[in-house]
Amino acid sequence: MPASRVSAEAIAARLSAVGLTTRVEELDRFTSVEAEVPEALSAASWREVLDVVAGADRFGLHATSLNGRTLWAVVHRTVPTTGDVGGPGHQR
């Protein structure tokens, strides 16, 4: 499992512990986490949510009057440097 997936799953688990329903999706360059945010989320829960997503590479909140509020976070995949491509035994 890619490290980005492990980090995203950890973020999703912590958001679930706050009471949010999450979904994780693995894409080519990153793994994303999304969670629907209810209107009645307390200030303490918001602080916890912000602490959780601070561990992501990028995060934001998409809010519309039609679909409510969706929190998103992205964890980038690590791309090996040229010297690491062949693995530890093949470094230049």
Side-chain angles (χ1 to χ4, degrees), residues 54-76:
D57 292 313
R58 293 176 40 210
F59 65 89
L61 181 68
H62 182 75
T64 68
S65 60
L66 296 176
N67 297 330
R69 300 183 300 185
T70 303
L71 175 72
W72 58 269
V74 169
V75 180
H76 292 266

Side-chain angles (χ1 to χ4, degrees), residues 20-38:
L20 304 182
T21 301
T22 62
R23 53 193 173 277
V24 177
E25 183 177 3
E26 200 163 323
L27 301 166
D28 289 338
R29 295 187 179 141
F30 57 85
T31 304
S32 71
V33 179
E34 291 186 351
E36 301 306 316
V37 180

Side-chain angles (χ1 to χ4, degrees), residues 74-85:
V74 169
V75 180
H76 292 266
R77 287 183 178 231
T78 304
V79 178
T81 62
T82 305
D84 294 337
V85 173

